[in-house]
Amino acid sequence: MKHIIGAGIAGLTAALAMAPEPVTILTAGTLEHGAASLWSQGGIAAATLPDDSIASHIADTLAAGDGLCDPAAVARIISQGPAVIASLRRLGVAFDPAPGLEAAHSHRRIAHVQDRTGLAITTALARAVRAAPHVTIREHTSVTALHAPDGILAGLWVAHGATPTYLASSAVLIATGGIGALYHHTSNPPGATGTGLTLAARAGAVLRDLEFIQFHPTGLDTGQTPMPLISEAVRGEGATLIDETGQRFTAELAPRDAVSRAVFNHLATGHRTYLSATSIPRFAAKFPTIDAACKAAGIDPATTPIPVRPLAHYHMGGIATDAQGATTIPRLFAAGEAACTGLHGANRLASNSLLEACVTGEAAGHAMAALTRATPAAIPPRPHPATRATAPIRDLMSRHLGVLRTDSGLATAIAGLAPTAATNDAALLALMIALTARARTESRGAHARTDHPSHAATATPSTITRAAALAACPHRIAA
Ligand SMILES: Cc1cc2nc3c(=O)[nH]c(=O)nc-3n(C[C@H](O)[C@H](O)[C@H](O)COP(=O)(O)OP(=O)(O)OC[C@H]3O[C@@H](n4cnc5c(N)ncnc54)[C@H](O)[C@@H]3O)c2cc1C
């Protein structure tokens, strides 16, 4: 059997692409619950209007990525935008007629279904997957370890109930989403703790560009966890960022990292920050999800500025993959937010991630379907369970790996994380992020160092493995 871990847009797309090759989807939630894909609001970027072009979408993506994008990956993924939209329409996704505008896009190109785009796409994909005879679905099933003897993927351990079970596998796709739940202030669902990244790292895979984490400037700041997101599309429709005096303090449609820093710095100097959407006609009809979240917190966006602050939103880094989604471990693939293709570089252009999840999911699905089946290896001994506790790690991530970073803060994070990194998955992932962030002595895209405010002369991707991370701080690792 071949396996897909995760039932977001990447995992579901891959499952459909594998037809008629049999595949099992394993998900900690259900097809309709638990994935960030269900929460995505603004939409999916694709150049579909006559005055737009693939070349313009590529240029905007490269500019947002701040020198670190892989140009071949950008061209490959962005050029498939119109085909992805057409294929989603065939599955029944009823996009609104006029594409929206989001920050750092030079054209209206965000295909959307009101502000429920992710829900509409995921629901259509889930319906197709539930009807597909080649797909077996195992819900409420978490993958806890991979087995890769001699560096080749051979199987995985799953937890469904008390007893862990081993499943032999000819190919595994990691489509487990992002890491935002490692922060206190986040838009991500609670399960987004990067388990797929540590599964891959423990199996020996190379991870790439881990230090690049996108902070969205406008989370609804009313004390909820996770925080409801006020989509960039609201600024695209003319909402302004103001403080308690009613003054604007930044350009609302600058790239996300710049707007997040502006909001963060304004808060740090004692101001309060708001998004004023009172000029947008028919707000509740255009943004029903955001309107409902605001009203649940006692705020009517049609009449009252919305309190906002930056939150952890998207991980540009992930498991290093090639154009087919292959990782550095034979028979192990990755797609969607868990993967790092080089599309986003140092900073994701808004709404490129749903496109990437569709394109990489499909490519990985085709590649996995084409793989010959492997002879099952002997059942391995049950691995020691790695703990996933995140509370102390969230403190270190939030304090030292946020919007602005310093060498001393990163050193403090590394010292706090290293002692448990060998046994605690969240600590291992946070340690790898802190090590790559400390080694990047420049500011680029979403990685902002107050002690190194400029760009280095050349933009170089970072890579790290679990072994390299543990070797970097041996005196601090607990036996
Ligand atoms: C509030 C919000 C709004 C967003 N808006 C947009 C937008 O407008 N446009 C855009 O392009 N992007 C947006 N994004 C980002 C985008 O939603 C994600 O990047 C994308 O949905 C990721 O899809 P995925 O399939 O990779 O992962 P996910 O959709 O996160 O799915 C991950 C799956 O893996 C499962 N899983 C995780 N760990 C395990 C495990 N160990 N074992 C088994 N299963 C596991 C989860 O249960 C889930 O099913 C938004 C994100 C958020 C949070």
Side-chain angles (χ1 to χ4, degrees):
M1 184 52 89
K2 297 173 182 176
H3 297 88
I4 292 171
I5 314 173
I9 288 176
L12 295 172
T13 304
L16 293 176
M18 285 185 69
E21 179 77 356
V23 61
T24 298
I25 293 192
L26 307 154
T27 177
T30 69
L31 298 204
E32 293 80 15
H33 181 77
S37 294
L38 292 156
W39 292 10
S40 68
Q41 300 176 344
I44 173 165
T48 53
L49 292 182
D51 68 335
D52 196 1
S53 65
I54 301 289
S56 168
H57 190 178
I58 288 174
D60 291 346
T61 301
L62 292 170
D66 204 4
L68 204 74
C69 297
D70 173 344
V74 173
R76 176 169 47 80
I77 294 169
I78 297 301
S79 63
Q80 293 183 57
V84 164
I85 300 297
S87 133
L88 290 172
R89 280 191 206 280
R90 282 196 296 278
L91 273 179
V93 181
F95 289 108
D96 291 359
L101 179 67
E102 288 188 347
H105 284 275
S106 42
H107 293 272
R108 285 193 166 264
R109 62 167 75 103
I110 315 301
H112 62 104
V113 182
Q114 291 182 311
D115 61 354
R116 298 172 177 150
T117 314
L119 180 66
I121 296 174
T122 315
T123 304
L125 290 168
R127 198 186 312 121
V129 164
R130 287 203 185 277
H134 70 287
V135 185
T136 303
I137 301 165
R138 288 187 59 174
E139 298 174 316
H140 306 294
T141 303
S142 289
V143 177
T144 55
L146 301 178
H147 179 50
D150 306 321
I152 300 174
L153 192 283
L156 40 77
W157 288 92
V158 300
H160 177 83
T163 317
T165 312
Y166 178 73
L167 305 173
S169 188
S170 299
V172 168
L173 173 68
I174 295 178
T176 51
I179 65 159
L182 293 179
Y183 287 86
H184 289 304
H185 295 122
T186 181
S187 64
N188 286 197
T193 55
T195 57
L197 275 60
T198 39
L199 289 174
R202 276 200 273 147
V206 172
L207 280 68
R208 175 174 164 188
D209 292 346
L210 291 188
E211 65 273 36
F212 293 103
I213 295 156
Q214 185 170 77
F215 295 88
H216 194 291
T218 55
L220 175 60
D221 191 15
T222 53
Q224 292 178 63
T225 306
M227 294 164 75
L229 189 74
I230 313 296
S231 163
E232 207 139 43
V234 178
R235 277 174 283 136
E237 291 299 314
T240 51
L241 281 162
I242 58 172
D243 62 21
E244 71 285 355
T245 68
Q247 294 299 309
R248 285 176 69 192
F249 57 89
T250 191
E252 286 81 3
L253 292 182
R256 245 177 217 179
D257 58 320
V259 184
S260 289
R261 282 194 291 277
V263 177
F264 184 88
N265 283 328
H266 217 55
L267 283 168
T269 51
H271 290 282
R272 279 169 291 144
T273 50
Y274 300 87
L275 186 68
S276 175
T278 55
S279 64
I280 300 177
R282 298 175 52 251
F283 185 91
K286 280 184 186 149
F287 302 108
T289 309
I290 296 169
D291 188 65
C294 290
K295 284 184 177 153
I299 298 151
D300 181 354
T303 56
T304 312
I306 306 163
V308 291
R309 60 162 300 131
L311 43 63
H313 184 53
Y314 184 81
H315 196 195
M316 275 72 76
I319 306 160
T321 54
D322 68 11
Q324 278 70 48
T327 71
T328 52
I329 305 274
R331 296 186 179 273
L332 179 63
F333 295 77
E337 191 168 337
C340 182
T341 60
L343 169 68
H344 309 297
N347 195 20
R348 174 186 68 130
L349 182 66
S351 287
N352 268 355
S353 42
L354 291 189
L355 177 61
E356 186 189 45
C358 291
V359 172
T360 58
E362 177 159 315
H366 287 313
M368 283 173 55
L371 267 188
T372 53
R373 293 181 204 165
T375 312
I379 297 181
R382 192 183 299 170
H384 292 295
T387 57
R388 296 185 190 280
T390 56
I393 291 140
R394 265 194 207 109
D395 289 342
L396 290 167
M397 291 283 288
S398 303
R399 201 167 303 168
H400 303 300
L401 281 150
V403 175
L404 297 177
R405 299 157 179 192
T406 62
D407 188 69
S408 63
L410 294 168
T412 304
I414 290 165
L417 294 162
T420 52
T423 54
N424 181 314
D425 272 3
L428 170 65
L429 179 52
L431 176 67
M432 292 192 290
I433 295 169
L435 287 168
T436 51
R438 193 176 187 203
R440 187 170 289 283
T441 50
E442 62 163 347
S443 289
R444 185 178 294 279
H447 172 71
R449 295 268 306 243
T450 53
D451 49 351
H452 293 281
S454 321
H455 271 172
T458 51
T460 319
S462 69
T463 55
I464 192 164
T465 60
R466 176 181 185 269
L470 298 184
C473 27
H475 53 294
R476 300 200 185 107
I477 305 285

